[in-house]
Amino acid sequence: MKTDLHAPLREDVRLLGELLGDTLREQGDAALFETIENIRKVSVQGRGEGRVEMDALRDLLTALDDQQLLNVARAFNQFLNLANIAEQHHRERLRRHQQDFNDSPSAGASTAHGMAEVIQRLRSNGVADDEIYDCLTTLSVELVLTAHPTEVTRRTLIRKYDNIAELLGQRERSDLTAEEKATGIESLRRLILSAWCTDEIRRQKPTPVDEAKWGFATIEQSLWYAVPTALRELDAITEAALGKRLPVSCSPLRIASWMGGDRDGNPNVTASVTREVLCLARWMAADLYLRDIENLMADLSMQAASDELMQYLGGTTESSYEPYRVVLRQLRQRLRATRVRMEAMLNGKEVPAQKWFSCREDLSEPLLLIDRSLRECGMATIADGDLRDTLRRLSCFGVSLLSLDIRQESSRHVQAVDAVTAYLSMGSYQDWNESQRQAFLLGELQSKRPLVNQGFFDSEYCTDDVAEVFATCRTIAQTDAGALGAYVISMAHQPSDLLAVMLLQRESGVASWMRVVPLFETLDDLNNATETMSALLEIDWYRDKVSDGQEIMIGYSDSAKDAGYLAAAWAQFRSQESLTALFARHGIALTLFHGRGGSISRGGAPTRMALLSQPPGSVAGRIRVTEQGEVIRFKYGLPAVAVDNLAQYMAATLEATLAPPKAPTDAWRAEMDRLTETSVAAYRGVVKDEPELVRYLRTVTPEQELTRLALGSRPARRKQDAGIASLRAIPWVFAWTQIRLMLPAWLGTGAALQASLSDSARQPILKEMIGNWSFFQGAVDMLEMVLAKADPIVAAYYEQRLTDDPALLALGSDLRQRLHDCVETLAAISGDKNLLANNPVMQWSIKVRNPYTDPLHLLQAELMHRHRQQEGSNATLDSALMVTIAGIAAGMRNTG
Ligand code: PGA
């Protein structure tokens, strides 16, 4: 690591750590501080010498009572959160200094792959300027904020952490006076104290509406500013590089959401919740535009206006004096009316009959009129100011703030259609085979008469679950199409799954279809995706319905949970490749929607690597991608960081479209097939066939304890059984991350790579793939990163503390041996014993955290042990346990 470059990061971590130490000393009794310091020193010293001081640490911790354990856990948790803030701030600092700081060794410098550099590179590779410009003007990057329960930190604390980050930023100024410096330190001290005195654990499960409000807060506090800034920068870069500006209507960025719309496995998301969230979003949008318009009213005091504008105003005296303000005043009135209308709807009151903004054009047209007038009257510089920002916001956020997706699981639709066929005495849809189902659905879709009447809804066939599916579709029917995004069908298996949702929408009176998007998320479903879609495209009626384009969602986490990381990644790659070819053959535009989680096991990857790992041709200027939980905070929580992440998305999408990565050779494909065959067998051999795995998971990891953490509004399981199949991907990965075994990320992949490496015929191909194929290189980099966070000694400690069952201990030692082998294999591949040798910052970040996470792991195991010995609940133990979970998540920089 270049000392000069990263020294400020170390300095910030040291400063925040010291201030925390002072706080603890002042707040706690001196003995507590001594204990914490002792634990920290033992831990730091151990790690410094390459050991984990398990015995010494355990002796220190077991001597403490429950309350002391809670305080110690809180202290280490706090430190890790402070380290995260410093690191986050360091990213911003490096961005300003145009330096590389990327999570992945070969993802490359974010700045070297910034928009200006990408355009430059494309031009020097012979891509014509017009082609670049056309691609930029039609680029579409849509970020879908999901309600996925992975954010452990309370909003109350996030606010304090953001303030700390801001203060760190202020300390960088070179012109600070001594007093300002001292005031800055005092403010930091105050914030750290107030964080220390705040409960870090969310005590109540958020409701889906709370979740939606968190999403809105990210827009209000950050994206509302970041989006126009990112577009302003893009415009300037385009003009400098290509000599042309982007049209103001150009909207490469869009925001969508699942918060309050995703009902898959979440009974708390009902039709009325969705309606409430839709109203709240419109209210928020109106409120934000109101602030914009009031600001413009203050600024646009000019008199000169175009004839067009004067005609619009009808030539009153007032309008000839300050014409822009007159237009803006009208808009202000209408925005206020929109807010009032939404409030009335939210409170179930009568809706006042006033003009409101129901669509984007209502607001953008008058603003564009002002824009044209200003330009015509020689005030283009003014038009290019805040007015542009508002217009750009309108193209991104519209008047509904975001577009809301709906997601429901395929079996719920089957159940709903089955209720209808049973009611109509036609038999059981559920029992029909696929061709019978298709024939029925297509017949009904093409018929003009309605399928059911009120009698059905009053009948016993219409159970609560069925009624809810219909109620959701009715909500869609009552909602302005511009406020809605995709209807995503999770666990989509076959063509009828899509047709069923089309029929349910039609039956509910949906006039303008909500586009139906299958989510393919098991290995089999990914492998069959092209066949499924091809069967649909063979149907004239269907092909006609999607002639404007089809969207397909690829599920990263569930496929990895089903088949292991490598096999899932290859299945995702191949299905995207063949879907791309299929839709190209039919001349229908395809948008791939990537359901990536935050952590590696759930498909998480740095932006550029993620995009350049896609098969050539599959990006085609359009990308839709989920952003979840803590990732939303890390990537979009602060405006400056958000600008950078938005810019990276746009640059990488342009690059992946116009300079797509190489397609794999036949030899690479064959090797991938061999690798994934070994990998699936090894993965499933443990996850599906190992009889003790469920017991190991429930005994050694905090899987059960996690369900008590009020993370999100949805349950941890789809069904109430103890098996792995019904456990959602998030808690599955989360549990393994907490004990640092990281099983889902490497199990199977390690064995597959090892088999290839030890075969002299395969080894050269493997090396060639690593050196030349971005997809494979990315997968290996990701593996390396996760292995650097894995720690078999920590995992072994949990085992020792929590079980003496020989079968579980034997399984644990087998798993740790496999982890060890995987690390060795990777070292052999990279030729460096040291994982992450070429990513020193990441290495440093893990190193600096370990002495703080070690005590948390030990504490967690101790607390789990004490907890399980007791009958009934113990609030202190419970809290301490939750704090360790949150602290380890902070230490890993993701929950799992
Ligand atoms: P899902 O997502 O369980 O909602 O499909 C899983 C994930 O993001 O890991």
Side-chain angles (χ1 to χ4, degrees):
M1 181 177 0
K2 281 187 231 144
T3 354
D4 50 340
L5 202 58
H6 304 300
L9 169 59
R10 288 198 296 277
E11 169 55 22
D12 283 349
V13 172
R14 195 196 48 76
L15 171 71
L16 296 177
E18 262 175 31
L19 292 175
L20 176 64
D22 293 349
T23 305
L24 296 181
R25 231 191 339 261
E26 285 157 21
Q27 286 298 303
D29 50 277
L32 170 69
F33 180 72
E34 278 305 302
T35 315
I36 291 170
E37 263 309 279
N38 261 344
I39 296 172
R40 198 181 65 86
K41 281 190 189 132
V42 170
S43 191
V44 170
Q45 192 186 348
R47 282 286 181 175
E49 291 160 12
R51 283 176 289 113
V52 186
E53 289 288 359
M54 290 299 175
D55 294 341
L57 283 173
R58 190 189 38 226
D59 292 346
L60 283 170
L61 293 174
T62 37
L64 303 177
D65 66 25
D66 293 353
Q67 184 58 44
Q68 287 169 319
L69 286 189
L70 172 60
N71 285 336
V72 173
R74 295 195 63 223
F76 285 100
N77 174 32
Q78 246 346 312
F79 175 83
L80 289 162
N81 277 296
L82 294 175
N84 280 350
I85 301 169
E87 234 179 85
Q88 178 89 347
H89 173 63
H90 191 54
R91 283 165 192 268
E92 165 58 6
R93 174 189 291 130
L94 293 181
R95 188 185 84 93
R96 290 191 174 277
H97 295 237
Q98 306 280 297
Q99 296 293 343
D100 180 15
F101 186 95
N102 215 309
D103 270 352
S104 146
S106 60
S110 57
T111 46
H113 300 288
M115 187 55 92
E117 290 75 10
V118 168
I119 295 182
Q120 199 46 48
R121 216 174 19 254
L122 290 171
R123 296 177 85 197
S124 45
N125 288 347
V127 183
D129 285 5
D130 283 352
E131 203 182 337
I132 301 175
Y133 185 80
D134 287 350
C135 187
L136 279 172
T137 51
T138 51
L139 208 65
S140 169
V141 173
E142 187 165 8
L143 305 176
V144 185
L145 310 179
T146 73
H148 280 54
T150 58
E151 172 63 274
V152 247
T153 315
R154 293 181 59 199
R155 283 215 66 79
T156 309
L157 284 167
I158 291 175
R159 207 175 145 260
K160 298 186 198 300
Y161 295 163
D162 287 351
N163 290 340
I164 294 178
E166 203 180 311
L167 285 167
L168 289 181
Q170 282 172 18
R171 280 173 47 82
E172 315 267 282
R173 280 181 46 183
S174 52
D175 58 351
L176 285 183
T177 62
E179 287 76 33
E180 283 170 336
K181 274 192 191 144
T183 316
I185 295 282
E186 263 325 287
S187 306
L188 280 174
R189 200 182 289 283
R190 198 170 308 118
L191 281 165
I192 290 174
L193 172 63
S194 95
W196 175 251
C197 297
T198 302
D199 186 1
E200 54 277 86
I201 299 303
R202 209 177 286 131
R203 299 286 159 179
Q204 261 163 7
K205 258 188 179 302
T207 65
V209 173
D210 292 333
E211 287 169 338
K213 286 183 181 163
W214 295 346
F216 299 163
T218 307
I219 296 185
E220 181 189 13
Q221 288 157 17
S222 174
L223 289 170
W224 192 255
Y225 307 97
V227 166
T229 309
L231 295 178
R232 186 172 283 281
E233 283 177 8
L234 175 71
D235 194 25
I237 291 170
T238 312
E239 188 176 22
L242 305 173
K244 274 196 274 190
R245 293 187 59 176
L246 294 170
V248 66
S249 58
C250 167
S251 61
L253 296 170
R254 290 286 170 104
I255 311 292
S257 162
W258 278 14
M259 303 181 182
D262 176 16
R263 58 245 305 125
D264 170 19
N266 189 351
N268 302 313
V269 181
T270 59
S272 79
V273 163
T274 299
R275 278 195 298 276
E276 183 175 348
V277 166
L278 284 162
C279 280
L280 282 170
R282 277 190 185 267
W283 186 93
M284 182 90 238
D287 194 65
L288 287 167
Y289 286 118
L290 204 52
R291 299 178 208 176
D292 273 29
I293 297 298
E294 278 170 351
N295 174 44
L296 287 171
M297 271 179 70
D299 286 349
L300 300 188
S301 49
M302 293 71 65
Q303 195 167 6
S306 66
D307 291 346
E308 187 193 15
L309 192 122
M310 294 315 283
Q311 259 167 25
Y312 174 85
L313 286 175
T316 58
T317 333
E318 192 206 4
S319 59
S320 59
Y321 181 54
E322 286 185 330
Y324 301 104
R325 285 185 166 169
V326 178
V327 180
L328 291 165
R329 208 167 292 132
Q330 292 169 0
L331 299 183
R332 181 177 65 178
Q333 181 47 34
R334 214 162 148 180
L335 283 167
R336 285 182 179 156
T338 308
R339 261 192 348 194
V340 170
R341 184 185 175 91
M342 292 307 133
E343 277 157 23
M345 285 169 72
L346 285 165
N347 298 323
K349 299 231 172 76
E350 203 182 319
V351 178
Q354 269 178 309
K355 270 188 154 186
W356 63 293
F357 285 114
S358 63
C359 71
R360 188 191 316 255
E361 290 68 30
D362 286 351
L363 184 53
S364 63
E365 275 164 17
L367 291 176
L368 284 167
L369 179 64
I370 295 181
D371 183 74
R372 284 193 297 275
S373 170
L374 288 171
R375 286 172 201 282
E376 198 181 308
C377 301
M379 293 180 278
T381 312
I382 295 177
D384 281 338
D386 291 347
L387 179 60
R388 265 283 116 152
D389 284 353
T390 302
L391 284 166
R392 289 190 172 118
R393 284 180 180 130
L394 262 167
S395 36
C396 172
F397 304 106
V399 286
S400 52
L401 195 68
L402 30 76
S403 43
L404 189 69
D405 280 9
I406 300 289
R407 180 171 76 148
Q408 183 57 285
E409 198 201 339
S410 58
S411 66
R412 292 290 299 274
H413 307 126
V414 172
Q415 191 187 18
V417 181
D418 187 72
V420 171
T421 58
Y423 170 76
L424 296 173
S425 310
M426 294 173 70
S428 167
Y429 175 82
Q430 192 130 23
D431 293 343
W432 295 346
N433 63 28
E434 176 60 14
S435 60
Q436 285 170 308
R437 287 184 185 189
Q438 282 184 36
F440 166 72
L441 296 168
L442 277 168
E444 291 304 326
L445 277 163
Q446 290 171 78
S447 132
K448 293 208 168 44
R449 79 182 145 67
L451 184 57
V452 287
N453 53 24
Q454 191 52 41
F456 166 73
F457 295 105
D458 298 336
S459 76
E460 60 189 16
Y461 295 96
C462 187
T463 59
D464 289 350
D465 277 358
V466 171
E468 186 51 49
V469 170
F470 277 98
T472 297
C473 289
R474 270 196 302 278
T475 301
I476 299 172
Q478 290 152 6
T479 305
D480 178 43
L484 296 170
Y487 191 123
V488 179
I489 306 165
S490 48
M491 291 291 162
H493 308 299
Q494 48 207 6
S496 60
D497 288 330
L498 284 87
L499 299 173
V501 172
M502 294 174 129
L503 183 63
L504 290 168
Q505 287 197 48
R506 211 267 332 253
E507 273 309 297
S508 311
V510 178
S512 161
W513 295 82
M514 199 173 170
R515 62 183 190 275
V516 176
V517 176
L519 162 53
F520 296 115
E521 53 183 337
T522 65
L523 187 63
D524 285 348
D525 291 332
L526 280 168
N527 286 337
N528 294 335
T530 306
E531 207 181 304
T532 302
M533 294 316 297
S534 166
L536 281 165
L537 292 177
E538 291 307 319
I539 304 167
D540 293 343
W541 179 88
Y542 184 85
R543 213 177 38 254
D544 185 49
K545 290 282 171 242
V546 296
S547 57
D548 284 347
Q550 169 84 53
E551 184 174 316
I552 293 177
M553 181 164 182
I554 304 292
Y556 288 70
S557 2
D558 276 276
S559 55
K561 176 169 171 258
D562 180 32
Y565 177 74
L566 192 66
W570 182 228
Q572 291 146 17
F573 185 95
R574 278 187 317 162
S575 75
Q576 293 182 60
E577 192 176 45
S578 60
L579 285 166
T580 304
L582 172 74
F583 281 86
R585 266 201 311 282
H586 283 274
I588 296 172
L590 171 68
T591 301
L592 289 164
F593 176 12
H594 304 273
R596 288 179 179 275
S599 70
I600 295 164
S601 313
R602 296 177 23 246
T607 305
R608 179 166 185 272
M609 176 194 283
L611 274 147
L612 290 174
S613 296
Q614 305 303 131
S618 66
V619 177
R622 283 181 305 273
I623 175 117
R624 207 170 190 252
V625 62
T626 52
E627 295 287 14
Q628 323 187 339
E630 72 272 11
V631 178
I632 298 182
R633 172 161 58 107
F634 289 147
K635 285 169 82 172
Y636 307 105
L638 297 173
V641 180
V643 170
D644 188 33
N645 282 304
L646 295 172
Q648 281 190 42
Y649 259 120
M650 292 189 287
T653 307
L654 179 76
E655 188 176 5
T657 305
L658 294 181
K662 260 199 241 164
T665 66
D666 289 346
W668 299 353
R669 284 176 191 281
E671 179 57 19
M672 267 325 282
D673 289 341
R674 283 189 292 267
L675 284 168
T676 49
E677 200 184 316
T678 318
S679 161
V680 177
Y683 179 85
R684 287 192 174 158
V686 173
V687 172
K688 296 216 158 97
D689 304 337
E690 168 52 59
E692 297 296 0
L693 190 75
V694 174
R695 236 161 34 89
Y696 184 93
L697 178 73
R698 308 210 99 193
T699 311
V700 176
T701 79
E703 186 258 331
Q704 297 173 71
E705 287 77 7
L706 278 173
T707 53
R708 288 210 303 279
L709 196 63
L711 257 188
S713 71
R714 85 176 186 194
R717 294 180 168 273
R718 275 201 162 103
K719 286 193 211 99
Q720 284 324 306
D721 61 21
I724 290 174
S726 68
L727 185 64
R728 307 238 29 165
I730 290 171
W732 162 249
V733 178
F734 201 156
W736 294 110
T737 306
Q738 287 280 312
I739 69 161
R740 303 285 284 277
L741 202 54
M742 312 292 200
L743 189 87
W746 55 264
L747 184 66
T749 308
L753 292 174
Q754 195 176 20
S756 175
L757 204 64
S758 53
D759 180 332
S760 58
R762 293 170 63 187
Q763 202 191 85
I765 309 176
L766 188 79
K767 297 241 155 127
E768 197 181 294
M769 286 158 70
I770 295 175
N772 298 290
W773 186 17
S774 54
F775 161 82
F776 195 70
Q777 197 173 53
V780 174
D781 280 354
M782 291 286 95
L783 185 63
E784 183 172 357
M785 194 140 56
V786 94
L787 290 178
K789 289 186 180 179
D791 198 323
I793 304 177
V794 171
Y797 183 78
Y798 279 84
E799 283 168 24
Q800 278 167 28
R801 193 73 191 108
L802 294 162
T803 184
D804 49 18
D805 182 326
L808 297 189
L809 292 173
L811 175 58
S813 106
D814 172 50
L815 296 176
R816 283 179 286 107
Q817 182 60 43
R818 289 174 191 247
L819 169 61
H820 172 82
D821 294 346
C822 185
V823 174
E824 297 273 289
T825 305
L826 217 71
I829 288 176
S830 66
D832 201 322
K833 274 239 150 300
N834 206 345
L835 289 172
L836 293 178
N838 52 357
N839 193 343
V841 180
M842 175 99 181
Q843 224 179 22
W844 178 82
S845 146
I846 294 175
K847 204 168 124 213
V848 86
R849 280 149 204 271
N850 273 335
Y852 293 81
T853 44
D854 287 346
L856 282 172
H857 288 300
L858 262 72
L859 269 168
Q860 186 172 78
E862 178 65 27
L863 291 160
M864 283 162 71
H865 174 77
R866 287 193 194 180
H867 209 270
R868 289 171 190 184
Q869 302 298 306
Q870 292 191 354
E871 301 218 334
S873 65
N874 171 336
T876 314
L877 272 189
D878 234 33
S879 288
L881 194 50
M882 297 304 129
V883 173
T884 60
I885 295 175
I888 294 167
M892 297 292 98
R893 290 198 88 239
N894 56 43
T895 45

